[in-house]
Structures are given as structure tokens and as C-alpha cells.
Amino acid sequence: MGDADSAGLERLDRGTCYALLRSVPIGRIVFTEGALPAIQPVNFVLDGDDVIIRTGMGSKLAAATRSAVVAFEADRFDEDSLTGWSVVLVGRAEAVTGEQERTRLAALGLTPWAPGERPHYIRVRPEIVRGRRVPPQRAGG
Amino acid sequence: MGDADSAGLERLDRGTCYALLRSVPIGRIVFTEGALPAIQPVNFVLDGDDVIIRTGMGSKLAAATRSAVVAFEADRFDEDSLTGWSVVLVGRAEAVTGEQERTRLAALGLTPWAPGERPHYIRVRPEIVRGRRVPPQRAGG
């Protein structure tokens, strides 16, 4: 089950982190906007170890993440068993500009949930991959 | 259903944001740690308009959010209907130190999911409350 961190959460290895990421369609991009912490849910796909998301061409997300270091988080929690997991990646975001690359990414099947055109692809190249799981046991106070 | 933002998402009014927040037990604190964007899932309760979370006394979260401006996000998405909502609060975090106040907060029923002692309460006083909903319709490419 892996070792536990200082908060009593089970640390997940990199392979487990990616397996869990592949199991959910939605994550959250964490960035800075006007010097304030910002977060936005996005649907995503993995391209190797990189996270690929889509946005509108002139979106605030596209502007804020231009060559910025961002975090990407996905999680799943079960309210009945009080268990769950969270995976956080940290890395630089970059716009995908090459036409050939964009065509390849378009074939990955990343369909936005929200309406509106989203022709802009952003790639996050993780430098840090961290996962934690709440073990299946009820916590004390 | 309210108006739509530039991304085609329905804007939610403040009352709806708080009603949705009250419907979920888990949110995510967004902060800065060593100049990098950081995010950590937490369970929470509302105390009026404020978000209350618990951490270990010497935790990284407690240190990083000491009088810092943080974001707090909660969301729920449905993979079958491709709908969902997200609420983001931005405000200053502060440690709750008064014994009377801590006793009152302890009665709010905020039981941590993770094991380990979490005697430290953090209050986030929101200055900004923002909610978005993905309307119930399938998106185009």
C-alpha cells in the first residue's frame, strides 16, 4: 500500500498516479491571475506523461498559462467510505502551435464539455508528480 | 438560468454558489508553496459565508496559508450528461486561535477524512465568490 506522509496519507508511486489520472475525465488547472491564486476545472487527456487541455483562443486561461508554471490536479472521493485519492502535477504550460502536432492531438478525442469553440491546445509538461490516497479507515477526531 | 460568460458557461449568483457549496463535503485549497502553485483537497464546512478547514498544527498547509490569499474551489461533474458546476472563492486565510471560537467551530461537525490529529482550524474569508455551470447540452468540437 506504499508509505504514509506526515498527514497520514498513503503516498502513491508515479505509475499509480498516471493510472488514476487515466480513470477520470476532469481535472483542475491551478495558476496565477492578477497575482491571485486561480483554479479552473478542465477536461483533459494524457499524451504520454503530458496533460493536454483545450481552451478558447483568447481565453484568460490561455493567457494566464502562457509559459507559466502551473499545477494540474485530479481527484476522486467517495462520501460513503470517506476514502479517495488526489494526484497533483506541477510543470510548465505551453501552447501547442504546430499544425501537425495539433492534428495529432485532435485525434486523441478531447471533446470539451462546455459550449463554444476551443481551438487552442495547451500542454503541461510535469516536472513533479505527486499522489496521495486517503486509506480505507475512518479517521478519529 | 442566468447569463453566460465568454466561455459559454452559465454564471451562478452568490446564493446559488453557497447552496452548491453546502451540497459537497470536499473542496480544494489553492495556494503558493515555494513560489509554485499548490493545491490540496480538504473537507470543509461553512460558517456563515466563511470556509472552515482543519489541518495538522505544523502542516505545510497551515504554514503556506498563514494570512495568505488563497482560493477555495468545489465542483461536481457528471460524466454521463457532461454537465457540472464549479464554485471558486478567493480570500484571506487565517488561523483560528481563540479557544471559544475553536469550541464553536468544533461543534460544526467537521470530521477529517484522513487519519492523524488535525487540531488547527483555518478560516477563509471570501472576497470574491464566483460560480459557473456547464449547461445541459452537448458541446460541439
Side-chain angles (χ1 to χ4, degrees):
Chain A
M1 294 286 286
D3 61 336
D5 72 0
S6 62
L9 301 176
E10 180 195 352
R11 285 184 225 265
L12 303 175
D13 62 38
R14 187 179 174 104
T16 304
C17 288
Y18 275 99
L20 290 168
L21 282 180
R22 278 190 289 271
S23 74
V24 293
I26 293 271
R28 298 154 199 93
I29 290 278
V30 176
F31 54 103
T32 300
E33 186 176 24
L36 291 177
I39 175 170
Q40 185 171 315
V42 288
N43 59 330
F44 73 100
V45 291
L46 291 172
D47 180 34
D49 283 354
D50 297 348
V51 169
I52 308 293
I53 65 173
R54 289 173 66 168
T55 74
M57 192 58 86
S59 69
K60 282 193 284 187
L61 182 60
T65 58
R66 190 162 291 142
S67 294
V69 173
V70 303
F72 176 82
E73 191 261 4
D75 61 42
R76 179 154 283 177
F77 291 95
D78 179 66
E79 295 170 31
D80 295 322
S81 63
L82 299 185
T83 59
W85 58 266
S86 169
V87 170
V88 178
L89 312 178
V90 179
R92 194 164 293 277
E94 58 185 47
V96 177
T97 52
E99 201 49 48
Q100 197 171 347
E101 183 70 349
R102 290 165 47 80
T103 302
R104 193 178 67 77
L105 294 181
L108 295 179
L110 179 57
T111 305
W113 290 23
E117 290 289 304
R118 283 177 172 66
H120 188 61
Y121 286 92
I122 295 174
R123 175 186 298 276
V124 179
R125 296 187 188 275
E127 304 272 331
I128 300 169
V129 177
R130 208 190 80 146
R132 294 290 186 273
R133 184 150 46 193
V134 182
Q137 59 181 57
R138 287 214 169 232
Chain B
M1 294 289 285
D3 61 336
D5 72 1
S6 61
L9 300 176
E10 180 194 354
R11 286 184 225 265
L12 303 175
D13 62 37
R14 188 180 174 103
T16 304
C17 288
Y18 275 99
L20 290 169
L21 282 180
R22 278 190 288 271
S23 74
V24 293
I26 293 270
R28 297 154 199 95
I29 290 278
V30 176
F31 54 102
T32 300
E33 187 176 23
L36 292 176
I39 175 170
Q40 184 171 316
V42 288
N43 60 329
F44 73 101
V45 291
L46 291 171
D47 180 35
D49 283 355
D50 297 348
V51 170
I52 308 293
I53 64 173
R54 288 173 67 167
T55 74
M57 193 59 85
S59 70
K60 282 194 285 188
L61 181 60
T65 58
R66 191 162 290 143
S67 295
V69 174
V70 303
F72 176 82
E73 192 260 4
D75 59 43
R76 179 153 281 177
F77 292 96
D78 179 67
E79 296 171 30
D80 295 322
S81 63
L82 299 185
T83 58
W85 58 266
S86 169
V87 170
V88 179
L89 313 178
V90 180
R92 194 164 293 276
E94 59 185 46
V96 176
T97 52
E99 200 49 47
Q100 198 172 347
E101 183 71 350
R102 290 165 46 80
T103 303
R104 194 177 66 78
L105 293 181
L108 294 178
L110 178 58
T111 304
W113 290 24
E117 290 289 304
R118 282 179 172 64
H120 189 61
Y121 287 92
I122 295 173
R123 175 186 299 276
V124 179
R125 296 188 188 274
E127 303 273 331
I128 300 169
V129 177
R130 210 190 78 147
R132 295 289 186 275
R133 183 149 48 191
V134 182
Q137 58 181 55
R138 286 214 169 234

